[in-house]
Amino acid sequence: MQLNASRRGFLYGMAGVAALGTSGCFSIGRKGGKIRLAAVGIMGKGFSDWYPMVKSGKAELVAICDADAMQVPAAQAQLKKMGSLLDLSKIPFFTDYRKLLDNASKIGIEAMTISGPDHMHAPVAIPAMKQGIHVYVQKPLVRTLWELEYFGRTARDNGVCVQMGNQGSALDGLRRCAEVLQSGILGDVKEVHVWTNRPVWPQGLSAAAATKGAADAIQKGLDWNSWIATAKMRNFKGAYKPGQKGYDPWNLCQNVYHAFSWRGFFDFGAGAFGDMACHTMNLPFRGLELGAVESAEMIEVSEWNDITYPMKSIVKMVYAERESKVRPGVKLPKVNFFWYDGDLKPKPEIMPTVIAAQGKVPNTGCFIIGSKGVVCSTNDYGGQSFISLNGEKKVVDMFKHEACQAIARTIPFRRDAADGKADGPGAAAVSADGHYIEFLDAINGQGPIYRDTHSRCFSDVEFCIPQMEGILVGCMAQRMGKGVKLAWDSKKQLFDNAKANSFIKPYIREGYAF
């Protein structure tokens, strides 16, 4: 049976550009040619952000920035392995992102990938957007709630394209399951469970203890002042030293903070919740049309401390009732949302049709419980989901369930531009590179305008700002400790807890205001 495609859904944006331009976050009228792209963060996730854009032929790399100069030869070596002739030595390089921004106009930067530690996302992206630069920002979009409001306001005021780096948003499976859920197939959904095996980096008590003691020698090529950026200055803490047995300059977790272990620290990252919920919450947030979060409480915890996120936790959040934007006149109920990290999982007893089909609770994913059935996504990006309706014994693939096949298509599939396939139903896309290409297409004024975001980017501010607000409220519950229930007023941007309110705005070091 073919999927029921709705022309109304596909043509929605093209007929309503003027009506849907409330966010202002889509580009029109660009003169053409390759988009002049700058990359902040050039290895690790940074490389996988900027390289697909350059490889597509739609962008050229005109500036690079990384607080660690040794990442440049590492990136060059990676390019060589991939057969690329791009010569990074011919591209302007900065270790201080402020100097990059000071020179952005002279260089002619039109777009920027921002893939450094979480605490640098807003300080780089917001000044860039003020210059009219379009930004692709790795998840989590920002680290604090104050930055989130500031980010959204700046994006709208400057009419730039924004794409948050939850690249699973480009996959057919994620988009199809979102529109199936939006149809109301599960009835009233009041409970959602989302879990991850993260952290896979040091945090908890051992990471907190590693910050103590005298400073170590700063590693070669690292501009420690620029890496710290807005945060409070602290000692550099290393693990292996140059010349010491076991030293590996490309080992992501070699040091206490840089180049990857920062994620677990309150001052630099947003822990497992901030890292993975942008992916694993993507489906239920879109499919259930979630909005404002009312409260959050950490109900289980291991290795709680005041420096890093805990090793394991369960957080319960409550999302408010809301009117459906997809089904006018339909009121959607409150949702009890449970987050698990540190390899904790929901109990198998709540998902018998999943256990019957797969034999165990998946290692990562989400489970959505409705009055008429359940949905389970079984990977980080939400690319494959399974459904069972009441009375059925096992979940089956969303694309194969007869009731799902009868539901109209409303969200266009995003095909990787390199695969040569037309948009439309079929086998699930195997690559998330379409998320990067969509960002470039949006800058060129190309592609559909999505009903969910009012722009040509599927993870633009109309989606990522409200999603991030709930995630950051959950992160605050982790910071407050077990059993501290926080009520959150989204309109006032305040908690009912003075200590929590003291962490809404980040510390901003002198000379780094934005």
Side-chain angles (χ1 to χ4, degrees):
M1 180 183 294
Q2 291 294 316
L3 296 174
N4 180 4
S6 165
R7 278 187 57 81
R8 180 182 63 83
F10 287 110
L11 298 178
Y12 184 90
M14 306 318 296
V17 170
L20 296 180
T22 55
S23 71
C25 297
F26 57 90
S27 180
I28 56 174
R30 191 175 170 274
K31 293 182 180 179
K34 291 186 178 183
I35 294 166
R36 295 178 63 81
L37 179 71
V40 180
I42 60 173
M43 272 302 284
K45 199 63 198 165
F47 189 93
S48 64
D49 287 342
W50 65 260
Y51 181 69
M53 297 187 194
V54 173
K55 183 182 177 183
S56 74
K58 298 186 177 189
E60 61 175 320
L61 194 62
V62 298
I64 53 179
C65 179
D66 201 300
D68 184 356
M70 297 303 291
Q71 299 302 312
V72 179
Q76 191 65 67
Q78 183 68 16
L79 287 168
K80 185 177 180 180
K81 287 181 181 179
M82 302 178 83
S84 172
L85 298 178
L86 180 64
D87 185 353
L88 296 181
S89 69
K90 296 180 179 179
I91 298 174
F93 170 68
F94 303 84
T95 60
D96 188 330
Y97 68 85
R98 297 172 301 172
K99 293 181 180 179
L100 169 67
L101 291 166
D102 287 344
N103 285 276
S105 179
K106 183 189 301 183
I107 297 170
I109 296 170
E110 297 177 278
M112 189 177 290
T113 60
I114 300 167
S115 316
D118 299 350
H119 76 294
M120 292 177 62
H121 291 184
V124 179
I126 288 173
M129 290 189 290
K130 288 179 179 179
Q131 295 188 50
I133 296 171
H134 308 285
V135 293
Y136 182 101
V137 186
Q138 251 315 313
K139 48 79 193 167
L141 190 74
V142 299
R143 190 181 63 87
T144 68
L145 287 158
W146 178 84
E147 292 170 316
L148 186 67
E149 189 279 331
Y150 189 8
F151 188 109
R153 175 163 35 92
T154 304
R156 294 182 180 99
D157 288 349
N158 291 277
V160 294
C161 296
V162 172
Q163 187 88 301
M164 183 174 71
N166 56 345
Q167 59 269 34
S169 299
L171 298 177
D172 295 358
L174 184 286
R175 295 186 176 199
R176 179 57 182 161
C177 190
E179 65 192 3
V180 168
L181 286 171
Q182 289 173 358
S183 75
I185 192 172
L186 295 187
D188 287 336
V189 175
K190 299 181 180 180
E191 188 172 326
V192 174
H193 299 259
V194 177
W195 62 100
T196 180
N197 65 336
R198 270 65 163 184
V200 293
W201 51 83
Q203 63 183 51
L205 296 177
S206 61
T211 66
K212 309 299 183 183
D216 292 329
I218 297 173
Q219 67 185 59
K220 179 183 176 181
L222 178 61
D223 182 344
W224 184 237
N225 191 62
S226 293
W227 192 93
I228 290 290
T230 56
K232 291 182 179 180
M233 180 51 71
R234 66 193 59 214
N235 290 336
F236 175 80
K237 299 295 293 183
Y240 295 110
K241 308 295 190 297
Q244 183 180 353
K245 183 178 180 181
Y247 177 74
D248 178 4
W250 314 128
N251 182 350
L252 288 176
C253 289
Q254 69 171 16
N255 296 320
V256 174
Y257 303 114
H258 173 70
F260 184 66
S261 302
W262 51 265
R263 193 174 291 281
F265 291 90
F266 291 137
D267 286 352
F268 304 122
F273 209 159
D275 178 46
M276 290 308 298
C278 298
H279 292 307
T280 51
M281 274 183 69
N282 196 359
L283 174 60
F285 199 90
R286 294 182 189 276
L288 303 180
E289 302 183 69
L290 296 179
V293 64
E294 295 183 335
S295 66
E297 178 184 3
M298 185 165 63
I299 57 178
E300 295 291 341
V301 64
S302 172
E303 296 192 29
W304 182 85
N305 64 92
D306 60 1
I307 296 175
T308 79
Y309 284 90
M311 282 299 296
K312 300 175 184 287
S313 72
I314 301 176
V315 176
K316 178 185 177 181
M317 302 196 298
V318 178
Y319 279 89
E321 291 181 341
R322 60 231 173 267
E323 296 289 335
S324 173
K325 298 176 183 178
V326 176
R327 294 177 287 150
V330 174
K331 193 166 187 176
L332 303 173
K334 287 188 178 186
V335 174
N336 290 322
F337 179 95
F338 295 88
W339 166 264
Y340 308 73
D341 57 29
D343 234 2
L344 297 177
K345 301 176 183 179
K347 295 180 179 179
E349 288 79 11
I350 70 171
M351 53 180 79
T353 58
V354 175
I355 303 302
Q358 302 185 11
K360 63 176 184 177
V361 177
N363 291 331
T364 185
C366 74
F367 185 62
I368 302 167
I369 304 173
S371 59
K372 297 181 179 179
V374 300
V375 161
C376 185
S377 175
T378 58
N379 57 47
D380 289 339
Y381 288 176
Q384 186 172 27
S385 296
F386 300 84
I387 186 171
S388 64
L389 300 180
N390 291 350
E392 296 174 348
K393 295 182 178 180
K394 295 182 179 181
V395 292
V396 300
D397 187 281
M398 178 74 67
F399 280 94
K400 298 178 180 179
H401 197 286
E402 187 173 358
C404 296
Q405 291 177 326
I407 294 172
R409 291 286 316 288
T410 57
I411 303 173
F413 285 160
R414 172 72 216 192
R415 295 292 185 171
D416 181 355
D419 70 8
K421 296 179 181 178
D423 177 71
V430 296
S431 171
D433 281 3
H435 197 58
Y436 306 110
I437 310 308
E438 180 176 83
F439 172 65
L440 301 178
D441 286 346
I443 294 170
N444 284 323
Q446 299 170 352
I449 296 173
Y450 296 108
R451 177 192 59 205
D452 294 355
T453 63
H454 297 168
S455 93
R456 293 185 170 95
C457 287
F458 202 43
S459 285
D460 206 338
V461 291
E462 296 301 315
F463 165 76
C464 64
I465 295 294
Q467 191 211 27
M468 278 304 313
E469 182 172 302
I471 291 169
L472 293 175
V473 169
C475 288
M476 190 67 75
Q478 290 177 312
R479 189 165 190 170
M480 291 299 100
K482 182 178 179 179
V484 179
K485 186 174 182 178
L486 299 175
W488 170 248
D489 188 322
S490 184
K491 291 183 179 179
K492 295 181 179 179
Q493 291 283 291
L494 287 172
F495 291 102
D496 63 343
N497 182 296
K499 184 178 179 181
N501 286 334
S502 72
F503 295 126
I504 288 176
K505 184 176 181 178
Y507 177 90
I508 301 176
R509 193 158 56 107
E510 186 177 354
Y512 286 85
F514 59 97

